[in-house]
DNA sequence: ATCGGAACAG
DNA sequence: CTGTTCCGAT
């Protein structure tokens, strides 16, 4: 039969900035950008093929699909509005024509034990992601505990009302990064940048940068309509990890000194990352800037966008204190199999005092899963807004002048010297990472597959060529 | 609607 | 290992 597997080779075009369902309503959802690498099949150890959760994330990330699946409810929670359609898309992606929601949901259920996902009881077709889990799964090697992101997050969580310290501050720490991956064409599209074609950068190689820290998109109110969106004016030499670079001062809770532990640079990867710009930048809206409210979406998005995930707001609760998240995650991991810990257990905080202990020790009181299914340890972090409120922070250097031109693999890693030191871990196959989904709207009124504007297409092609070489 | 066991595929 | 396919039980 004919399946749409090809879609795997296509690149989604438009960046999908999460849009709060056009809504002004309720707690507006803030989108969080899920790190690119999270969407890459390669990032899923053990599986060469796209995984269901990746796929879900992809759909969630694109507003075109908001009619069938969308973030809703608590942070990380999403609802499958049209189970059959989602199943159909999944089936198309996997070339399983007989896929249906029953089967898809079975696969989803397997995630419960893995703690990647869990069901939101009481709400139909509603599930919730445990992002930290996802992160861990993808990048277990990272010592996220030491990441400023996480640290910030912890604090962030601690106080609900301190949004300040959080997202924005952190965000300001990183320069914008063009997107990545698969998409490769990200910036281009936007283009806004009249000229520089060289804005291609592949962050795939720096998964870590993305850090797993999904970032929130600013609520509409905060975001300008993309007023300014300089592709990125941060000097590549900027090292976000340098103390000086951070201006988390606004973050009262962050203990000085704890931000950049030496362990922060455990490996080459990390060091190289330090020169990378901020990945979240790709969140910048582009074409669809103007229109966002339609759920049915129609923007022309089709191709090359990297993946960006948008989540609904809520930093729920990271229950970890500032302890080491990594440890807790590990603990969780173990716990995972040990106890299927039914949700609903009390104990909100994951042992603040736990600190880094061996996974086996953690047992002590770590119990999370505050209530129901919210054991989600959120890893969100910064506000990845598209607007650069904090640009000024970085604005200083040679701005545009030094735009990077990193291309990918093999080609030239011009601007990022350390590229060579990057671990081969990620994205071995550029092409592969290029395209995640392109569910074609086989049936469905929704504009599942908007046409790609000519120029974009062109760009895309170019990009591909580049990658190829 | 959900769940999870079991067999099976790649 | 990650589903896919069936399916009986809630």
């Amino acid at each position: 039969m004919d399946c749409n597997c090809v879609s795997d080779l296509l690149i989604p075009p438009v960046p999908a900035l999460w849009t709060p369902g056009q809504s002004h309503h309720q707690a507006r959802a803030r989108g969080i950008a899920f790190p690119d690498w999270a969407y890459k099949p390669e990032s899923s150890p053990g599986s060469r093929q796209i995984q269901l959760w990746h796929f879900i994330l992809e759909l969630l990330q694109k507003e075109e699909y908001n009619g069938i699946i969308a973030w809703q409810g608590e942070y990380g929670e999403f609802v499958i509005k049209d189970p059959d359609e989602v199943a159909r898309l999944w089936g198309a992606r996997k070339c399983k024509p007989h896929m249906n929601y029953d089967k898809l949901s079975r696969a989803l259920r397997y995630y419960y034990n893995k703690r990647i996902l869990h069901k939101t009881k009481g709400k139909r077709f509603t599930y919730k992601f445990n992002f930290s889990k996802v992160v861990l799964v993808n990048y277990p090697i990272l010592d996220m505990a030491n990441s400023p992101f996480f640290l910030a997050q912890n604090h962030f969580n601690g106080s609900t009302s301190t949004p300040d310290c959080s997202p924005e501050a952190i965000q300001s720490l990183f320069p914008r990064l063009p997107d990545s991956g698969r998409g490769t064409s990200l910036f281009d599209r936007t283009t806004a940048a009249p000229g520089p074609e060289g804005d291609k950068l592949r962050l795939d190689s720096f998964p870590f940068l993305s850090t797993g820290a999904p970032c929130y998109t600013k609520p509409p109110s905060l975001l300008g309509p993309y007023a300014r969106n300089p592709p990125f004016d941060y000097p590549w030499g900027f090292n976000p990890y340098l103390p000086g670079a951070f201006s988390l001062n606004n973050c009262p809770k962050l203990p000085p000194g704890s931000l950049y532990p030496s362990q922060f640079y455990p490996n080459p990867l990390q060091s190289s990352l330090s020169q990378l710009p901020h990945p979240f930048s790709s969140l910048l809206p582009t074409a669809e800037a103007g229109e966002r409210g339609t759920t049915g979406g129609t923007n022309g998005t089709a191709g090359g966008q990297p993946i960006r995930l948008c989540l609904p707001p809520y930093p729920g609760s990271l229950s970890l204190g500032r302890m080491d998240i990594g440890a807790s995650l590990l603990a969780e991991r173990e716990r995972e199999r040990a106890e299927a810990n039914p949700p609903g257990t009390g104990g909100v905080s994951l042992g603040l005092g736990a600190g880094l202990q061996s996974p086996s020790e953690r047992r002590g009181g770590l119990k999370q899963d505050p209530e129901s299914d919210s054991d989600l340890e959120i890893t969100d972090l910064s506000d990845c807004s598209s607007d650069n409120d904090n640009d000024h922070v970085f604005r200083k250097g040679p701005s545009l002048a030094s735009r990077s031109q990193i291309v990918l693999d093999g080609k030239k890693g011009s601007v990022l010297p350390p590229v060579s030191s990057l671990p081969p871990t990620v994205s071995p196959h550029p092409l592969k990472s290029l395209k995640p989904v392109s569910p074609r709207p086989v049936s469905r009124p929704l504009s599942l597959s908007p046409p790609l504007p000519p120029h974009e297409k062109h760009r895309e092609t170019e990009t591909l060529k580049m990658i190829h070489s």
Side-chain angles (χ1 to χ4, degrees), chain A residues 27-238:
Chain A
R28 70 243 296 103
R30 280 143 127 202
I32 74 164
F34 209 68
D36 266 2
W37 52 262
Y39 300 87
K40 300 160 51 84
E42 296 90 332
S43 56
S44 299
S47 72
R48 6 21 229 146
Q49 266 215 309
I50 180 154
Q51 279 176 279
L52 179 55
W53 64 269
H54 277 67
F55 180 76
I56 295 290
L57 242 25
E58 286 181 3
L59 297 183
L60 248 16
Q61 174 246 334
K62 300 178 178 167
E63 59 185 296
E64 309 99 91
Y65 298 100
N66 281 181
I68 56 175
I69 185 173
W71 294 115
Q72 202 171 87
E74 293 177 46
Y75 177 93
E77 224 173 77
F78 64 93
V79 48
I80 295 174
K81 301 174 182 176
D82 186 341
D84 295 328
E85 182 59 11
V86 172
R88 189 188 65 73
L89 292 169
W90 174 234
R93 193 51 153 336
K94 296 286 298 286
C95 292
K96 292 288 177 186
H98 303 299
M99 178 55 58
N100 58 33
Y101 179 69
D102 179 55
K103 292 169 185 173
L104 180 151
S105 66
R106 182 69 191 85
L108 246 26
R109 272 175 256 143
Y110 274 119
Y111 288 140
Y112 297 174
N113 287 332
K114 295 175 190 276
R115 296 192 138 236
I116 284 175
L117 210 65
H118 54 251
K119 187 78 183 60
T120 296
K121 296 177 177 92
K123 294 181 184 174
R124 273 179 30 155
F125 308 124
T126 302
Y127 299 81
K128 194 165 157 187
F129 268 107
N130 178 335
F131 291 110
S132 54
K133 190 57 177 188
V134 171
V135 170
L136 222 204
V137 169
N138 284 279
Y139 270 85
I141 57 164
L142 294 179
D143 181 358
M144 294 190 253
N146 294 315
S147 166
F149 287 129
F150 287 84
L151 286 174
Q153 250 182 44
N154 290 338
H155 299 294
F156 180 41
N157 294 313
S159 61
T160 330
S161 43
T162 344
D164 277 339
C165 105
S166 44
E168 314 246 73
I170 293 174
Q171 172 177 6
S172 61
L173 302 180
F174 294 79
R176 286 174 178 294
L177 198 68
D179 197 5
S180 50
R182 39 167 97 321
T184 358
S185 39
L186 344 207
F187 258 78
D188 337 349
R189 55 186 174 19
T190 305
T191 29
E197 277 262 294
D199 294 316
K200 292 176 181 145
L201 184 116
R202 272 255 312 194
L203 261 218
D204 308 27
S205 329
F206 319 104
F208 157 73
L209 213 198
S210 322
T211 110
C215 51
Y216 283 98
T217 303
K218 291 179 180 178
S221 43
L222 296 177
L223 280 175
Y226 318 132
R228 54 209 194 91
N229 132 44
F232 44 119
D233 335 270
Y234 306 90
W236 292 105
F238 172 77

Side-chain angles (χ1 to χ4, degrees), chain A residues 201-359:
Chain A
L201 184 116
R202 272 255 312 194
L203 261 218
D204 308 27
S205 329
F206 319 104
F208 157 73
L209 213 198
S210 322
T211 110
C215 51
Y216 283 98
T217 303
K218 291 179 180 178
S221 43
L222 296 177
L223 280 175
Y226 318 132
R228 54 209 194 91
N229 132 44
F232 44 119
D233 335 270
Y234 306 90
W236 292 105
F238 172 77
N239 181 337
Y241 295 122
L242 250 39
F246 291 82
S247 51
L248 291 179
N249 319 318
N250 12 4
C251 223
K253 297 174 174 185
L254 288 181
S258 57
L259 284 180
Y260 323 106
S262 51
Q263 317 116 45
F264 199 32
Y265 304 87
N267 60 43
L269 203 188
Q270 302 200 359
S271 9
S272 359
L273 285 173
S274 45
Q275 328 219 12
L276 295 177
H278 188 181
F280 308 134
S281 50
S282 31
L283 290 176
L284 297 180
T286 20
E288 51 187 358
E291 192 53 237
R292 52 162 66 2
T294 343
T295 301
T298 3
N299 41 20
T301 334
Q305 175 58 52
I307 300 207
R308 240 119 239 125
L309 173 87
C310 312
L311 274 189
Y314 217 35
S317 33
L318 233 200
S319 0
L320 327 143
R322 59 170 277 169
M323 81 189 260
D324 132 337
I325 294 177
S328 67
L329 288 176
L330 286 175
E332 192 188 329
R333 212 184 218 180
E334 287 211 341
R335 192 185 330 147
E336 222 166 83
R337 55 203 62 225
E339 52 199 55
N341 215 352
T345 346
V348 178
S349 52
L350 267 184
L352 297 183
L356 298 199
Q357 317 182 338
S358 80

Side-chain angles (χ1 to χ4, degrees), chain A residues 304-439:
Chain A
Q305 175 58 52
I307 300 207
R308 240 119 239 125
L309 173 87
C310 312
L311 274 189
Y314 217 35
S317 33
L318 233 200
S319 0
L320 327 143
R322 59 170 277 169
M323 81 189 260
D324 132 337
I325 294 177
S328 67
L329 288 176
L330 286 175
E332 192 188 329
R333 212 184 218 180
E334 287 211 341
R335 192 185 330 147
E336 222 166 83
R337 55 203 62 225
E339 52 199 55
N341 215 352
T345 346
V348 178
S349 52
L350 267 184
L352 297 183
L356 298 199
Q357 317 182 338
S358 80
S360 38
E361 310 184 60
R362 87 290 150 183
R363 276 244 140 250
L366 294 195
K367 222 311 172 250
Q368 75 176 88
D369 240 354
E371 50 168 56
S372 13
D373 3 5
S374 15
D375 54 350
L376 175 60
E377 296 161 10
I378 303 244
T379 46
D380 65 55
L381 116 117
S382 50
D383 203 317
C384 2
S385 58
S386 16
D387 180 350
N388 331 7
D389 296 348
N390 304 301
D391 280 2
H392 55 284
V393 175
F394 306 99
R395 266 301 169 63
K396 38 174 166 186
S399 22
L400 305 175
S402 47
R403 247 143 152 209
S404 62
Q405 189 119 15
I406 301 173
V407 181
L408 348 183
D409 324 87
K411 210 164 182 181
K412 55 185 301 111
S414 40
V415 180
L416 294 185
V419 166
S420 48
S421 57
L422 289 174
T425 321
V426 198
S427 80
H429 314 297
L431 286 180
K432 231 180 187 175
S433 52
L434 277 180
K435 165 6 137 220
V437 144
S438 70

